[in-house]
Amino acid sequence: MVESVLLAGGGTAGHVNPLLAVADELRRRDPGLRVTVLGTATGLEADLVPARGYPLVHVPRVPLPRRPGADWLRLPGRLRAAVRAAGEAIDANGVQVVVGFGGYVATPAYIAARRRGVPVVVHEQNARPGLANRLGSRWARSVAVTFPGTPLPGAQVTGMPLRPEIAALVDARARDSVGERVSAARELGLDPSLPTLLVTGGSLGALSLNTAVSTASGDLLSAGLQVLHLTGRGKGQAVRDRVATGQGDPDGATLPTRYQVREYLDRMHLALAVADVVVCRSGAGTVSELAALGLPAVYVPLPIGNGEQRLNAAPVVQAGGGLLVEDADLTPDWVRWTLVPLMTDDERLAGMRRAAATAGVTDGAARVADLVEQTR
């Protein structure tokens, strides 16, 4: 029986949220389990982990350079210090299993565990794995992945461990989806009877999504739709002005009641409870949550980076639960001629909901916890 585990991952919500979901599941199964989290002092984990009631041990941030340069020269010293800190956390807590979720702190945790003969479980969020998990998977006892086809040795598809509020929404919708929609709409000031489009580019927003959808606001509203547009911090006024002007107000002063603009929503599960279609980026967490909820989506991958967002969306799109649109192709005309007809086609939307659900995983945290418990 496992009595003490170390969970390593941090820096971004993509690493921290699944880590906390697995920690909660392990603690739910065994309230006496000793759970220690390894992270940095500056990432999201610095706030989220202690707030959830888990001790956080700090390690130095060790970015792995992708190209030769000054960071390569500093890497050995940084890595030694981080591996030393990770090893001290393993020793001090009598850790029997190390669970890594990628990111800067995972590499030193993997190395320290290997030196001590402590088994490792790796969870990779993205379809294209990061450097840390590519390293850790070489000697991991178990490798869990979110998406089929992720190129890691011995990978088992567990899906994404869902955030508690999303897991709770999955259960609530299974019991009473209509009641959950009505309750969420009431809290958000929306009409639960209207087809609802949710637009979100994440906390930072996405200019292309904001521009394309708000420019076509007249077509969306003329079709009898309702829009909840989350613009990202500091990006709300430009969207409000565009929507108001599009409705015949030259001063951009009046916003239609069926087009709600917010910069940020801290209770995102309410938006998902009322949405019929979501226009969004295709980060691993977003794709996994929407599929688990059976929500049709228009996925617009980031046009920069290593292409992982396109790969993340591929399984649910291939299943028929979403559409993939390149960033440059998401135009007001695309919204008018493709999105509006989709949102007014009840039969097609019903088919997409069923298809999305077939690609979704609702028990990812439990699947990863099983691997941890089986590791000795």
Side-chain angles (χ1 to χ4, degrees):
M1 179 177 177
V2 177
E3 298 178 352
S4 179
V5 299
L6 178 75
L7 281 67
T12 67
H15 296 127
V16 179
N17 285 333
L19 181 155
L20 288 172
V22 172
D24 289 347
E25 175 63 17
L26 289 169
R27 182 64 62 79
R28 184 193 66 79
R29 296 181 179 193
D30 180 6
L33 178 69
R34 190 169 190 176
V35 178
T36 305
V37 179
L38 200 68
T40 69
T42 56
L44 283 178
E45 66 273 19
D47 295 322
L48 298 182
V49 171
R52 195 71 69 85
Y54 298 108
L56 178 67
V57 176
H58 294 155
V59 294
R61 185 173 175 271
V62 187
L64 298 179
R66 296 179 182 271
R67 297 180 179 84
D71 282 343
W72 272 107
L73 301 177
R74 290 189 284 268
L75 178 61
R78 288 174 172 173
L79 187 57
R80 279 195 299 271
V83 171
R84 187 182 312 116
E88 290 171 353
I90 292 172
D91 295 339
N93 293 282
V95 170
Q96 296 165 295
V97 182
V98 168
V99 190
F101 295 84
Y104 298 134
V105 302
T107 298
Y110 295 150
I111 294 173
R114 188 185 190 195
R115 290 177 179 176
R116 287 160 174 77
V118 174
V120 167
V121 174
V122 168
H123 182 273
E124 172 57 49
Q125 293 81 53
N126 290 294
R128 179 167 287 166
L131 294 173
N133 281 348
R134 292 210 301 269
L135 174 69
S137 65
R138 295 179 183 177
W139 60 79
R141 188 72 57 84
S142 299
V143 177
V145 297
T146 299
F147 302 107
T150 301
L152 290 177
Q156 304 176 57
V157 179
T158 61
M160 178 74 79
L162 299 176
R163 293 180 290 156
E165 56 269 33
I166 301 301
L169 179 58
V170 169
D171 292 340
R173 282 164 62 95
R175 292 191 302 270
D176 181 8
S177 61
V178 174
E180 197 67 22
R181 178 189 180 95
V182 169
S183 175
R186 185 182 302 117
E187 291 201 49
L188 293 172
L190 297 171
D191 185 341
S193 69
L194 294 178
T196 303
L197 174 67
L198 170 63
V199 183
T200 174
S203 60
L204 298 179
L207 180 61
S208 57
L209 275 63
N210 288 348
T211 301
V213 177
S214 61
T215 301
S217 60
D219 301 86
L220 292 163
L221 295 172
S222 296
L225 307 178
Q226 177 174 246
V227 182
L228 173 57
H229 193 143
L230 307 179
T231 66
R233 297 191 190 280
K235 298 179 173 66
Q237 194 56 50
V239 170
R240 292 186 187 95
D241 291 345
R242 206 153 30 234
V243 173
T245 301
Q247 302 312 302
D249 181 354
D251 297 322
T254 305
L255 195 66
T257 56
R258 284 190 288 116
Y259 200 113
Q260 185 178 129
V261 178
R262 299 188 183 205
E263 294 196 350
Y264 181 75
L265 182 63
D266 57 0
R267 294 187 295 169
M268 190 65 182
H269 60 286
L270 296 177
L272 297 177
V274 76
D276 292 292
V277 175
V278 183
V279 176
C280 55
R281 294 300 192 194
S282 49
T286 297
V287 173
S288 299
E289 292 179 358
L290 296 184
L293 290 164
L295 278 178
V298 175
Y299 294 109
V300 188
L302 274 170
I304 58 174
N306 62 6
E308 69 182 24
Q309 288 207 351
R310 166 182 276 276
L311 296 176
N312 291 343
V316 69
V317 170
Q318 290 167 3
L323 303 178
L324 188 70
V325 181
E326 297 298 338
D327 192 79
D329 294 335
L330 185 73
T331 63
D333 280 343
W334 190 94
V335 174
R336 293 183 183 105
W337 305 120
T338 304
L339 182 56
V340 170
L342 169 64
M343 292 210 59
T344 54
D345 188 336
D346 292 341
E347 185 175 348
R348 186 181 179 195
L349 283 181
M352 291 183 72
R353 283 193 290 270
R354 291 191 295 269
T358 65
V361 175
T362 61
D363 61 346
R367 296 186 188 191
V368 177
D370 287 344
L371 296 178
V372 176
E373 291 185 339
Q374 295 162 10
T375 302
R376 282 305 306 272

